[in-house]
Every structure is written in structure tokens, then in C-alpha cells.
Amino acid sequence: MRRNRITILNILFGGTVILFIIFSAMTIKEYNQYRTVKREAAKLSAAVWNQKNGKDFDKLKKINPNIVAWIKIKGTDIDYPVVMAEDNSYYLSHDIYNKGNKYGALFTDYRLKNPFETDLQNCIVYGHNMGRNAAVMFSELKKYEDKAFYQTHDTVKIFTVQRPEGENYRILAVRRVGAASNSFTLEFSDKQDFRSWLDRQCKNSIYPCSKLTGDITKSVTLSTCTNDGKNRFIIVCGKESGSRISRL
């Protein structure tokens, strides 16, 4: 009887050791993948930067013709190309090199027409939130839950083929919304419709952000999942050029 108990304990101990080894191997593999993603992103950002002209979209298009923009937010590690596919699922599990990757890529809604360039359009950019301690893709958007961080980092810079030097978009609202929220509206019938939508976003921001006092015809909404996985965390931005935007 005693021998049987010892045998059972040895089996349980051996199984625990095997599970620990497997778990450790998986954790190390994921950590290495995480480091690779960050390292490759930094390398690419430097490689396609031209001190005179800005982002080199000729180089970027050779890497992936689906690249339509580049986004950078100071104070975070958000410094990535933005792609556009034929649906909103492919780049959830593929990187910009079209290789399978759980971190995916930042991507625009496939239904957009000429993203970042069309008036009366809300250009939505999606990206993964990989958890509290992660700093890849859109994980660091959660920094904007802190109003103090927003106050010193209230712009998003977006580079496009037409504007490789980059344009500043001022953050107008920070929100937590459901997947069916009208925050994900893409197009508007006229300027009044668009402005009413913007006003609603600003009104429902979790804290007061910049206030629009002039004309604006374009917006960009950055969207990622919340840590509880039930809602979306979004940041609504307006194009600063051509309109007067003041802080509240």
C-alpha cells in the first residue's frame, strides 16, 4: 500500500515537472516573439525614415503594398505602419509581412475609401491590446486612461503617401464603448452630420479633451479591446491642420 502511494506521488510529481517545463518553454517562446516584434518594429521605423522627406512609402510598399499609413504617438512605443486588407480579420493574426503572428498588425477598416485622405470620413484603425504589461501594437493606448498622460501627449502623428512628412491629429475624446457604438460610424452625409457626431464623441469622453472651435472634416479613431475583453477603448482624433482646436 505504501509502495503504491509512493508510485502515485512520483507520477504526480513527474507530471507536474513536465507541465512546468512545457509552460516555461511556451513562456520563453512568447517572450522571444514579443522582443522580436518590438525589435523589428524599431528597425523598420529607422529604415524607412528619410530626414528630408519623411517616411519612405516606396520602401514600405515594396514590403507590403497594403501599407496605407504610418502612425506614431510620443510617450508610447506606438510607431507602426498601418495596413488595409479585404476584411477586418486577416491582420488580427498576420503581421505586415503576411506571416502568421498573434500580435497582428495595425489596420484600417476595409470599408474605407482612400483612408486618411477622404473628407467626411472617420478612419478607424484597429490594433491588439496584448495586456497590462505589454508595449506592442495598441497595448499602450491604455496610458490615456490617465488624464495627466493625455495632457502632455495630446497629439497623434500620421504619415501617408500624400503626407510622408506626417500630420498632427489632436485627440478630442477618450472613451470606453461597446462594439455597436456609433463611434464606429465611417461616413457622414454632410459637414453638419459629421460635426454632430464629433460633438457627441467629445461630450462622452471620460475626461475633457481638446475643444473644436473651427471647421474640421476628417477624424481618426484608434480602437483596441479593454482588459476585460467586453468593450472597446477608443481615442478619437481630429485633423489639426485647417481648423482651430483649443484645449479645455
Side-chain angles (χ1 to χ4, degrees), residues 138-179:
F138 271 170
S139 299
E140 288 193 300
L141 284 185
K142 59 182 175 285
K143 285 187 173 184
Y144 283 98
E145 292 180 315
D146 179 6
K147 185 179 179 180
F149 180 81
Y150 155 76
Q151 290 174 328
T152 54
H153 303 86
D154 64 348
T155 59
V156 173
K157 195 155 194 175
I158 295 175
F159 307 81
T160 62
V161 174
Q162 289 77 13
R163 296 287 187 274
E165 72 280 6
E167 291 183 299
N168 286 324
Y169 282 70
R170 184 65 60 82
I171 294 174
L172 305 175
V174 176
R175 300 189 60 192
R176 298 184 195 93
V177 301

Side-chain angles (χ1 to χ4, degrees), residues 96 135 239:
I96 64 163
K239 187 178 177 183

Side-chain angles (χ1 to χ4, degrees), residues 126-137:
Y126 304 96
H128 281 308
N129 173 8
M130 302 306 295
R132 294 185 182 279
N133 298 316
V136 291
M137 298 304 131

Side-chain angles (χ1 to χ4, degrees), residues 11 54-55 62 75 89 103 118 128 148 168 171 175 186 188 225 236 246:
I11 292 172
K55 291 295 180 185
K62 288 179 181 178
S89 59
Y103 295 99
T118 305
H128 281 308
N168 286 324
I171 294 174
R175 300 189 60 192
L186 294 174
F188 305 89
C225 59
V236 179
S246 62

